[in-house]
Amino acid sequence: MSNARTLVSAARRSFELQIAVITALQGTVIGSQDPEAHQLAEFRGKLQRELHVRDSEDHFRSCALNGGHTAFIDRQDLRRTLQQFVDSTDKIVLIVDGEQDTGRSYTYELIRYLGQFKGFRPVVVPLGVATTAENVLQLLSRLLRADLNGIPGRHSDSFLLAGAVDVFNRAVACSERPWLVFDDCDKLDQNSDVWDFIGNLAEVIYQNVSPYYVIPRLVLLGYQGDGRSMPYPLRHSVLHDKAREAERADVRAFFNQHFTVAVPRRESGEPYAEADIPGLVDVTVEEVMRAVRRKAGNGESYMRRLCTAVEAVIHVDQ
């Protein structure tokens, strides 16, 4: 029973694993005349249909995330870069830079969404002015269920390298492929030992690339051009994205796509005709931009105000 619970718990992580377990049961444990055989066949068929639907969608182009509640506006360059990052076997680090309040950390929303479909789990490490490498190690030890007992003390010259090796080993052992997401990198001093730890971790990953297991990835959000550069051996293993504020044209492209996927309805409940959608997009864009201007000065960044206004439209439409 203990083994059965462990197997079922592990299988719940993906459609593919559930289908594999059910197929094994159908072929060996349960005969075709068993009363539960029909239920298993139905459940397997349902999972296969859901898997087909999932794989037929281009999740990199999704604009309404998390069940349609979160808007992700444009960032086409980021979408292409993320697809390359997911599909490649030799890219280790993704760096997202740009001016403050342009949506660098906003990138995490798309990464988190994609993880559900692409087999990885983002592990977020928030950074601040006072963050040290020891803080980061302690946090990762909890998030990755690691144990720091075997790592030398903080005054040892090998502390950061040993910590990087430990984090790498724990990440590789995780059943779900982890992406280690370091957020607000621009809050770190250039001389912070966190940069030394990140550099050590990147090198450890680079030196252990293998076709036999999936390596963890590093994502640096809020990275600044004058920040610490990655170790030289990684020069061909780093991808870059530059965040920017979304403009009116980006909002228009968002609603052109969204209203095609989720056709809005009139007050009567009737869906808008296809010919009416362009006019509806024009009105919607104007109202969203007006709402963004109206809330200027309330302490929120432009991108946050824009996302709030766009999501208000999505929620009304639902």
Side-chain angles (χ1 to χ4, degrees):
M1 181 57 72
S2 177
N3 286 339
R5 291 184 186 278
T6 300
L7 180 62
V8 170
S9 177
R12 283 176 175 166
R13 295 190 177 99
S14 74
F15 287 127
E16 291 89 346
L17 287 172
Q18 292 179 68
I19 292 170
V21 170
I22 293 173
T23 301
L25 286 172
Q26 287 179 309
T28 58
V29 180
I30 298 178
S32 59
Q33 302 304 315
D34 192 288
E36 294 180 348
H38 181 65
Q39 290 181 320
L40 273 177
E42 283 191 341
F43 187 44
R44 181 170 179 261
K46 177 186 176 187
L47 289 172
Q48 288 175 322
R49 289 191 295 275
E50 291 181 358
L51 178 62
H52 174 74
V53 170
R54 187 201 72 178
D55 290 345
S56 64
E57 296 179 12
D58 184 355
H59 299 287
F60 291 97
R61 294 190 66 251
S62 297
C63 61
L65 317 180
N66 304 324
H69 297 290
T70 304
F72 197 86
I73 306 169
D74 193 53
R75 300 290 295 278
Q76 296 302 318
D77 290 341
L78 170 65
R79 296 173 191 273
R80 286 189 288 270
T81 300
L82 274 175
Q83 184 156 19
Q84 182 182 355
F85 197 55
V86 169
D87 294 341
S88 70
T89 57
D90 60 340
K91 302 302 180 185
I92 294 170
V93 183
L94 171 64
I95 292 177
V96 180
D97 64 6
E99 297 300 321
Q100 194 170 10
D101 294 333
T102 56
R104 299 171 307 182
S105 295
Y106 176 54
T107 303
Y108 173 69
E109 292 294 339
L110 184 57
I111 289 175
R112 178 175 174 270
Y113 171 78
L114 289 172
Q116 303 171 67
F117 306 101
K118 300 302 177 181
F120 66 85
R121 175 172 65 93
V123 177
V124 181
V125 180
L127 303 175
V129 176
T131 303
T132 65
E134 186 176 12
N135 299 147
V136 172
L137 272 168
Q138 289 173 345
L139 177 59
L140 286 174
S141 74
R142 294 193 296 271
L143 294 175
L144 299 174
R145 296 184 177 87
D147 181 1
L148 295 180
N149 291 337
I151 295 179
R154 75 176 73 179
H155 300 297
S156 169
D157 292 338
S158 60
F159 169 69
L160 295 178
L161 178 57
V165 171
D166 183 80
V167 168
F168 172 80
N169 288 334
R170 301 293 177 175
V172 168
C174 287
S175 55
E176 296 172 307
R177 176 176 46 159
W179 282 18
L180 307 181
V181 181
F182 295 88
D183 196 12
D184 288 328
C185 290
D186 56 346
K187 292 182 179 179
L188 291 175
D189 184 271
Q190 190 171 5
N191 297 314
S192 170
D193 63 352
V194 175
W195 286 119
D196 296 314
F197 169 72
I198 291 175
N200 276 309
L201 182 55
E203 282 206 84
V204 169
I205 296 173
Y206 174 76
Q207 292 166 1
N208 287 276
V209 171
S210 168
Y212 302 108
Y213 52 78
V214 180
I215 60 172
R217 306 291 182 90
L218 304 184
V219 179
L220 308 183
L221 301 180
Y223 182 91
Q224 288 290 304
D226 56 357
R228 190 84 68 86
S229 59
M230 287 291 100
Y232 183 75
L234 275 78
R235 62 192 182 280
H236 300 305
S237 301
V238 179
L239 288 175
H240 291 265
D241 175 71
K242 191 174 186 65
R244 64 172 179 81
E245 287 187 344
E247 301 173 348
R248 181 185 294 267
D250 302 316
V251 179
R252 179 179 299 279
F254 175 91
F255 283 112
N256 276 330
Q257 180 180 344
H258 178 67
F259 286 162
T260 300
V261 176
V263 180
R265 295 179 177 274
R266 302 177 185 274
E267 291 184 6
S268 62
E270 292 295 316
Y272 277 86
E274 184 177 348
D276 296 329
I277 296 297
L280 181 61
V281 169
D282 290 340
V283 172
T284 303
V285 171
E286 290 302 321
E287 290 299 320
V288 165
M289 302 310 295
R290 185 176 294 115
V292 172
R293 291 192 298 270
R294 188 169 60 247
K295 293 185 178 181
N298 67 351
E300 292 186 330
S301 69
Y302 166 81
M303 282 299 294
R304 181 157 296 185
R305 285 183 280 125
L306 179 61
C307 287
T308 299
V310 170
E311 287 166 3
V313 175
I314 295 175
H315 296 159
V316 169
D317 183 41
Q318 291 175 341

